[in-house]
Amino acid sequence: LARRACYVHLKPVWSAIGGAIYATVLIGGVLVLSRLGILTVPVMFGLMALGSLVGSIWIFLWLRKFLPRDEVEIPAAEIVAEHRKYGGWATATGILAWLPTNIPFLVLEVIHGPAAPGILKAMLNFIMPAAHAYAALSLLLVPIFVRAREMGRFGSIVVSTAALLVVANVAYWLALGLFGSDLIDLLYGGNFGEYANYLWLAGIYPIISGVAVVIRTALRSMERPNFVFWSSVGSSICAITVTVFLIYRFGVPGAMVGVSINMLVELIVMTLYFKRSQPLPDLVAGQGAVRGQ
């Protein structure tokens, strides 16, 4: 919650500092508690909570200091109504999003044994930096896209952002594929080396999901969370049909391809909704800038 407030005010540095405080408390606590011999799983959860609390307090103090004094008062009933309208769809989407991501792990274990999900997770760990970057980027893009709509530059900003992410993620994919063996050796100490070629498959996912994050965020900035939900429905249907078949037929490689296909289906549906909702008038030759609808 605190970090999202930072992004609304276009102050990601506050969020970054809060995250650094969390990391400092967490890493420092691990070092101290491990030396004392009292580092257990319950203690670790408590340490994570403490780091979050300290980082959040810092962010809230800075937000309070820099918030403008002349904010418009909004009736509580209106706030609750807007949260129920938008939050209902967002909550349903969050619950549904569990399926495309986690079904491969469950099905792999049932069909191919307990080692298969571990292999999949080991390979997907290499795309986690991109996933975390997208999570932060999506928060920052919402207010940017809202402002772009007001300026009549919504379409061009969305397209250019998506194109930039495609270029960056293609470079990331090539790095994973070309240096996969070295990366696996560095991270896992020689384990999983025989699966280095799987990183070529794993690297496809960030390319697709990067564009999907942009379109999903654009729909949210247009206050269309219902479109995001129905796109997740399409992805979930794909997960329990196509992806399950690929896992049954090809195992871990099938799961990797299936995860990317799930995201591709979601991206296609979201793009169709986006085009229907926003004609991108600022990209049409001969037309002037049109205020976002």
Side-chain angles (χ1 to χ4, degrees), residues 53-266:
L53 178 63
V54 175
S56 299
I57 290 175
W58 186 91
I59 292 175
F60 279 126
L61 289 175
W62 273 87
L63 286 173
R64 184 179 180 182
K65 181 178 179 181
F66 285 95
L67 284 178
R69 302 298 181 184
D70 57 347
E71 288 189 297
V72 178
E73 291 293 334
I74 303 176
E78 183 178 341
I79 294 175
V80 171
E82 289 295 326
H83 276 72
R84 289 182 61 184
K85 177 182 176 182
Y86 188 99
W89 288 107
T91 301
T93 302
I95 295 172
L96 195 62
W98 183 89
L99 288 173
T101 305
N102 292 279
I103 275 183
F105 293 98
L106 300 177
V107 176
L108 271 174
E109 183 167 3
V110 172
I111 298 178
H112 297 283
I119 298 171
L120 177 62
K121 181 61 177 175
M123 298 300 104
L124 293 184
N125 278 339
F126 288 96
I127 67 174
M128 291 307 295
H132 287 296
Y134 295 156
L137 182 63
S138 64
L139 298 177
L140 182 60
L141 285 178
V142 170
I144 290 177
F145 284 169
V146 170
R147 287 168 172 79
R149 287 177 59 203
E150 296 175 351
M151 298 170 59
R153 299 178 57 202
F154 185 50
S156 58
I157 293 294
V158 170
V159 171
S160 60
T161 303
L164 181 62
L165 284 181
V166 167
V167 173
N169 284 314
V170 167
Y172 188 57
W173 172 61
L174 290 174
L176 285 180
L178 294 174
F179 304 103
S181 297
D182 296 330
L183 293 172
I184 289 175
D185 185 64
L186 178 65
L187 189 61
Y188 299 124
N191 297 316
F192 302 105
E194 63 271 30
Y195 305 109
N197 287 335
Y198 287 4
L199 291 181
W200 284 107
L201 298 177
I204 297 174
Y205 181 82
I207 300 174
I208 302 172
S209 61
V211 181
V213 164
V214 174
I215 304 300
R216 185 184 304 120
T217 305
L219 288 173
R220 286 173 174 164
S221 71
M222 298 164 64
E223 300 184 30
R224 296 291 188 175
N226 53 324
F227 291 166
V228 178
F229 170 78
W230 291 116
S231 301
S232 296
V233 170
S235 179
S236 298
I237 292 174
C238 180
I240 61 179
T241 55
V242 176
T243 300
V244 169
F245 170 77
L246 291 173
I247 293 172
Y248 173 79
R249 183 67 178 82
F250 301 105
V252 175
M256 291 184 174
V257 173
V259 168
S260 295
I261 292 177
N262 296 341
M263 182 56 66
L264 180 61
V265 169
E266 182 176 352

